[in-house]
Amino acid sequence: MSGISGISSNSPAYRTDSPARGLTRPAPVEVQIPTERVDTVDLSEQARLVDLLKSGGDVREDVVARVRGEIERGGYDTDEKLDRALDAMIDEILG
């Protein structure tokens, strides 16, 4: 048989006695799949605060009850408390 386009009857791709007709299989590749995965989540500061609010945080029920009582009696909002709050806010801003 004569060669066609450079393939002769002696070519490994043409021979029928070759099990893979001249083609070779690539060597097996060993793939290692991790057995343990670790997922992480990074939360923003705002998300941490929301989580704290949802969980209740460190709520002192006795203080909450006392302040609610003062508010109901009209004695919670005083000029002295307002002055202290404003002073603390100014100190924090100018800080």
Side-chain angles (χ1 to χ4, degrees):
M1 206 174 190
S2 67
I4 300 175
S5 299
I7 299 176
S8 70
S9 59
N10 293 331
S11 169
Y14 181 79
R15 290 192 331 223
T16 57
D17 62 336
S18 170
R21 301 179 110 208
L23 302 176
T24 59
R25 293 182 183 221
V29 176
E30 186 176 324
V31 177
Q32 298 212 358
I33 299 172
T35 57
E36 184 179 319
R37 291 186 176 176
V38 177
D39 294 330
T40 60
V41 176
D42 292 326
L43 297 177
S44 66
E45 185 63 28
Q46 290 83 6
R48 286 186 181 96
L49 291 174
V50 168
D51 187 49
L52 179 65
L53 290 173
K54 285 183 178 180
S55 69
D58 295 332
V59 177
R60 293 179 41 201
E61 294 296 329
D62 59 328
V63 175
V64 172
R66 180 180 54 82
V67 171
R68 281 186 179 158
E70 288 181 27
I71 291 171
E72 288 173 5
R73 290 186 299 276
Y76 184 76
D77 294 322
T78 64
D79 289 339
E80 292 171 4
K81 289 181 182 178
L82 181 59
D83 286 340
R84 280 187 283 171
L86 290 173
D87 288 340
M89 185 177 70
I90 291 170
D91 288 345
E92 185 176 328
I93 290 171
L94 297 178

